[in-house]
Amino acid sequence: MSKNSSVSMRETIERVHAALHSVHEADPILDCSAAVLALLPTQPDPLVAFAHAKLHSYPFHSVPVCWRRLYTDASLAKALALVQDGIRHSCAGERKKRHASLHQDDSLEWIDEAVKVLDMAAIMAGAAGRVKIIEQLLSALKAFLPNQHSTSDTKPPKTQTWPLSFPFSPAITPANVPAILFPVQSSVAPSMQSFEAHMKTAQPLCITEAITHWPAMHERPWSSPAYLLDETLGGRRLVPVEIGRSYTDTGWGQSIITFSEFMQKYVMLETAESSKMGYLAQHDLFSQIPALRNDIAVPDYCYTTPPPPKFPSPAGSRPPPPQLEEPLLNAWFGPAGTISPLHTDPYHNILCQVVGKKYVRLYSPDETPKLYSKGVEDAGIDMSNTSEVDVEASCDTHDADFPLFQQAAYVETILKEGECLYIPVGWWHYVRGLSVSFSVSFWWN
């Protein structure tokens, strides 16, 4: 621990204290009872559990802001207590080593636990009202870490280092890479005027040489496991991971695990089994970890005004999505074999491939009658934007269960590193990872 990091942490702790004790009169947290708020400075643990139960008492998009604020502030208070206690023990350990001349490894478990608490506030409650202060505390914690890519939850030896590239995937073989029979139209970094003209055709477009300037492609490479682990506090950051081949499969589930565990268990493997597939999919990783957001840029194409939809919406009677002030960014990171089943999105989409390759097949909205939309399921969940068809299943399966599917016209591409794919709103698309793959989607309307 350097002197500068100690000063930075002390200043950050003071800012966190000030934030927790200066609630303005319009803060939604005041909608919680006074008795609850009185416990916040001294008993954050039971408040985290209480607010957690409240978050699960409502549909996700209907949770009152006061409970998200309470969960966030209680988590912040809990993390602050962990940090202060951890620093005291670390300082005491340093003094003992100096006086006794003994080698003693300081435990970093307090950092692991503090990061976990803060990330749960971000994932579960959107870090409501505290995004900047939580990021400041996480940045200060990074300065306390040794210069190694490891976490205490797996306790690897100090000599372990993470490789600078991902393992070769046996999925990239002629037998596993589909032959492209009906290619998507392609263009080299079209001008804004050319792109707007293309959007009027309501057709997909593969765009090359538009993101080669991103730091994620070069000086801060996402193709380096070592870099990704470093930017996630040695892999301590938590991420939501989809477990299973596809969200339409039986047995599919979700889990929140450390980035290090995700990498070791699902990504850094020479082979991948569908039963053990893990996919960091459709997650707003970049608001959670702004350092990675700085490695990319929103394509200028996302600031165009799309024309009205040329085709009727496959979503049927679903209400139109809200107007976006800024593009929505999501991360898609996983091993070879990850699948996004045939589905549609409510927005125009530019899918940017940063690491690896993906096979993408697309169907026009006017092919919808041949694609067997799931509709509303028994639990009342509207799955009308997802097809029942397993795109790459055998022809015999398609003929027996979905006889019209083989008649549906499509276009396809293999999206390579540094390429983008424009997917017009309403177009059905199926995506399969051909290697370890890291993509970013930009939704806009």
Side-chain angles (χ1 to χ4, degrees):
M1 178 177 64
S2 68
K3 184 176 181 180
N4 287 340
S5 66
S6 179
V7 172
S8 174
M9 178 58 81
R10 185 165 59 249
E11 292 173 347
T12 302
I13 288 174
E14 290 172 356
R15 284 195 290 269
V16 174
H17 267 300
L20 289 173
H21 289 84
S22 58
V23 178
H24 60 81
E25 61 183 13
D27 193 326
I29 199 172
L30 295 176
D31 291 338
C32 301
S33 70
V36 166
L37 295 178
L39 299 175
L40 190 56
T42 57
Q43 299 184 56
D45 287 66
L47 287 187
V48 170
F50 175 72
H52 185 271
K54 289 291 186 181
L55 294 180
H56 286 83
S57 300
Y58 301 85
F60 178 76
H61 294 291
S62 302
V63 176
V65 179
C66 65
W67 300 125
R68 295 198 297 115
R69 284 284 296 111
L70 180 63
Y71 188 91
T72 299
D73 273 19
S75 298
L76 193 54
K78 179 178 179 178
L80 186 62
L82 288 165
V83 168
Q84 291 177 302
D85 190 53
I87 290 174
R88 281 194 294 270
H89 281 84
S90 295
C91 292
E94 286 291 335
R95 287 194 294 271
K96 287 181 180 178
K97 283 196 289 184
R98 284 198 299 269
H99 292 297
S101 299
L102 294 174
H103 176 75
Q104 177 180 337
D105 292 334
D106 291 330
S107 171
L108 298 178
E109 290 183 359
W110 62 275
I111 295 183
D112 297 357
E113 187 60 26
V115 171
K116 177 181 178 181
V117 169
L118 293 172
D119 266 335
M120 287 300 291
I123 293 170
M124 297 297 297
R130 303 298 190 193
V131 173
K132 289 185 178 180
I133 197 70
I134 286 178
E135 180 56 31
Q136 289 171 4
L137 184 52
L138 287 165
S139 296
L141 284 171
K142 186 177 181 181
F144 275 71
L145 298 177
N147 187 23
Q148 59 182 9
H149 310 290
S150 64
T151 61
S152 64
D153 56 351
T154 53
K155 300 188 185 302
K158 282 192 171 183
T159 56
Q160 177 180 349
T161 57
W162 288 88
L164 298 177
S165 61
F166 290 105
F168 169 77
S169 172
I172 307 181
T173 65
N176 293 325
V177 178
I180 302 302
L181 302 178
F182 309 103
V184 174
Q185 182 181 341
S186 181
S187 178
V188 179
S191 67
M192 294 288 280
Q193 183 178 7
S194 296
F195 181 73
E196 287 184 321
H198 177 84
M199 281 198 297
K200 294 178 182 178
T201 70
Q203 297 292 316
L205 181 68
C206 188
I207 301 171
T208 61
E209 299 183 22
I211 63 169
T212 52
H213 63 286
W214 283 5
M217 305 291 299
H218 301 289
E219 61 266 30
R220 300 197 291 273
W222 290 6
S223 59
S224 167
Y227 174 74
L228 293 177
L229 268 293
D230 190 54
E231 291 303 314
T232 54
L233 274 72
R236 289 170 171 82
R237 301 300 300 269
L238 296 182
V239 288
V241 175
E242 297 182 357
I243 310 298
R245 173 179 170 271
S246 164
Y247 67 76
T248 58
D249 289 355
T250 302
W252 177 89
Q254 293 176 296
S255 181
I256 296 177
I257 59 178
T258 65
F259 194 84
S260 175
E261 182 181 351
F262 169 64
M263 291 277 281
Q264 292 177 342
K265 196 170 182 180
Y266 300 108
V267 180
M268 302 301 293
L269 304 173
E270 296 292 340
T271 60
E273 300 176 27
S274 60
S275 61
K276 297 181 180 179
M277 190 68 67
Y279 196 13
L280 197 167
Q282 199 171 338
H283 174 50
D284 187 5
L285 184 67
F286 311 108
S287 63
Q288 184 189 356
I289 306 177
L292 294 177
R293 173 65 180 84
N294 295 333
D295 295 343
I296 60 176
V298 176
D300 290 343
Y301 308 120
C302 295
Y303 294 104
T304 57
T305 300
K310 187 175 181 180
F311 304 99
S313 170
S317 60
R318 280 188 175 188
Q323 189 71 28
L324 299 176
E325 295 183 2
E326 290 290 331
L328 291 178
L329 281 64
N330 280 305
W332 307 80
F333 179 35
T338 56
I339 286 176
S340 293
L342 190 61
H343 69 285
T344 68
D345 296 327
Y347 300 100
H348 292 267
N349 182 8
I350 289 186
L351 180 65
C352 299
Q353 192 67 18
V354 183
V355 178
K357 299 179 180 181
K358 283 182 170 175
Y359 171 70
V360 188
R361 186 187 291 189
L362 306 103
Y363 295 81
S364 167
D366 61 5
E367 299 291 338
T368 298
K370 304 170 187 174
L371 301 181
Y372 299 90
S373 168
K374 281 180 171 289
V376 178
E377 297 191 333
D378 293 339
I381 300 173
D382 187 353
M383 295 287 286
S384 58
N385 73 324
T386 302
S387 169
E388 293 187 47
V389 182
D390 184 346
V391 169
E392 292 190 274
S394 68
C395 293
D396 290 342
T397 299
H398 291 160
D399 289 341
D401 298 334
F402 312 106
L404 296 178
F405 178 69
Q406 296 286 61
Q407 303 171 24
Y410 63 87
V411 292
E412 58 190 341
T413 189
I414 292 177
L415 197 63
K416 306 177 187 69
E417 288 185 6
E419 296 182 346
C420 310
L421 178 63
Y422 165 60
I423 305 174
V425 64
W427 272 70
W428 295 84
H429 48 288
Y430 163 88
V431 186
R432 174 165 65 90
L434 299 177
S435 67
V436 171
S437 171
F438 205 145
S439 315
V440 184
S441 61
F442 297 84
W443 284 1
W444 91 101
N445 59 1

